[in-house]
Amino acid sequence: MAWLLIITSLLVLWIASLCKILHQSYTPRVDAFLSDKDGGAFRKRRVLLVIAHPDDESMFFSPMINYLISKGHQLHILCLSTGNADGMGKIRSDELYQACAVLKVPLQQVKVLDDLNLQDGFGLPWNHDLVAKIVEEEIISRGIDTIVTFDNYGVSGHCNHRDVHYGVRKLLNDTSQNDIEGWELVTTSIFRKYSGPVDTWLSILYANRHPGGVMHCLINEHPKKSFAAMAQHASQWVPEAFCITFQLYLHKFSEEDQHVTVKKFA
């Protein structure tokens, strides 16, 4: 009887959370993400998304990418490695371009680097100064005014994700370009990641507790497009990695394909 009560309570919470999400998606916020006004007219941003490996854009950032493209912002993607840990760097780079085409990101605004000092791998730390230098060059060459990347845990905890964060943070702290606005993807606990709409609801509530628009929960209005983009990364969907793939599938549809939460760099 106790188990039945617990299951019923969880089901009610799940349904209530889903209803909250649906209501939120149709209720625009006054301080929506990057919604600042300039002289009464909407100002399009030039946004640089900095990732570590091909597939990061689809697995972790696709709700944000869908949002930015739908609002008319100009999005550039800088991938700091080819993801060559298993010798498939060329294949994975091509898959990134295919995924970006699905996400409607112009391919001339996508760059993949193959630097000997920035190679994919858990035991291959990246120099933060080098990351900062590369990102700064990209900011200058493309006239970027907004940058987005991982937070200090890197969502999955991958050391390359974390090094990207610290490189970008170093740039934002040291640069004389004080007009660059920085945002980071918020990592949540493993329990929340697999709680579906409950996590989305909690993320909405948590974001609303931060005044001044310093944190936003972005609901993914095009989950099928996100899945189609992830499907382009066929090299990561192999029989030998079935368990990992299944975990990523659950992870993707339980969190990243529903929403992402971003906050300003402190």
Side-chain angles (χ1 to χ4, degrees), residues 76-89:
H76 299 261
I77 297 179
L78 174 62
C79 184
L80 294 178
S81 81
T82 62
N84 197 42
D86 297 319
M88 295 189 293

Side-chain angles (χ1 to χ4, degrees), residues 9-266:
S9 300
L10 291 175
L11 182 60
V12 170
L13 177 61
W14 196 90
I15 294 174
S17 300
L18 182 59
C19 293
K20 174 64 176 177
I21 295 167
L22 293 174
H23 177 266
Q24 182 78 11
S25 63
Y26 291 103
T27 308
R29 288 180 56 181
V30 175
D31 59 341
F33 183 50
L34 303 185
S35 65
D36 62 309
K37 304 288 183 177
D38 185 8
F42 180 75
R43 180 169 70 92
K44 292 183 180 180
R45 301 289 192 96
R46 298 175 69 91
V47 183
L48 178 65
L49 171 61
V50 185
I51 58 177
H53 318 111
D55 80 8
D56 289 347
E57 83 298 330
S58 300
M59 188 176 299
F60 303 120
F61 293 94
S62 62
M64 186 205 68
I65 292 174
N66 289 334
Y67 174 87
L68 294 175
I69 297 299
S70 70
K71 298 299 182 182
H73 297 293
Q74 186 178 117
L75 176 64
H76 299 261
I77 297 179
L78 174 62
C79 184
L80 294 178
S81 81
T82 62
N84 197 42
D86 297 319
M88 295 189 293
K90 178 61 170 63
I91 294 174
R92 295 194 66 187
S93 296
D94 291 342
E95 290 171 347
L96 171 60
Y97 287 113
Q98 294 166 12
C100 287
V102 171
L103 294 168
K104 307 301 182 184
V105 180
L107 298 189
Q108 67 269 23
Q109 294 169 200
V110 181
K111 179 185 289 188
V112 183
L113 302 183
D114 188 12
D115 191 306
L116 291 177
N117 297 305
L118 299 175
Q119 292 298 305
D120 178 19
F122 282 98
L124 299 173
W126 293 355
N127 183 279
H128 300 164
D129 290 323
L130 176 60
V131 171
K133 179 177 180 294
I134 291 173
V135 173
E136 183 174 29
E137 291 173 352
E138 196 72 8
I139 288 174
I140 294 173
S141 66
R142 296 188 181 272
I144 299 299
D145 55 48
T146 305
I147 187 168
V148 183
T149 191
F150 297 100
D151 67 1
N152 61 356
Y153 187 74
V155 182
S156 65
H158 197 296
C159 62
N160 296 159
H161 296 180
R162 302 177 74 173
D163 287 334
V164 172
H165 165 84
Y166 286 114
V168 171
R169 175 174 287 278
K170 179 175 180 59
L171 170 64
L172 294 176
N173 287 341
D174 297 347
T175 186
S176 58
Q177 303 180 52
N178 297 323
D179 56 340
I180 302 298
E181 188 173 297
W183 293 83
E184 57 187 14
L185 182 66
V186 176
T187 299
T188 58
S189 67
I190 192 69
F191 173 77
R192 284 182 55 182
K193 286 179 180 180
Y194 292 100
S195 62
V198 175
D199 178 40
T200 305
W201 183 35
L202 291 175
S203 296
I204 292 171
L205 292 175
Y206 189 57
N208 288 340
R209 289 180 56 192
H210 290 73
V214 299
M215 181 177 289
H216 297 274
C217 177
L218 305 179
I219 306 298
N220 193 358
E221 298 181 355
H222 305 284
K224 290 184 179 180
K225 183 189 294 185
S226 296
F227 177 71
M230 188 62 204
Q232 303 305 308
H233 295 278
S235 66
Q236 304 305 294
W237 297 74
V238 294
E240 292 81 0
F242 176 77
C243 291
I244 296 176
T245 301
F246 184 63
Q247 182 183 22
L248 291 176
Y249 178 86
L250 290 176
H251 179 68
K252 175 177 156 46
F253 275 89
S254 62
E255 179 186 20
E256 277 76 19
D257 257 12
Q258 290 183 5
H259 76 283
V260 293
T261 302
V262 292
K263 68 175 181 179
K264 274 190 177 180
F265 270 80

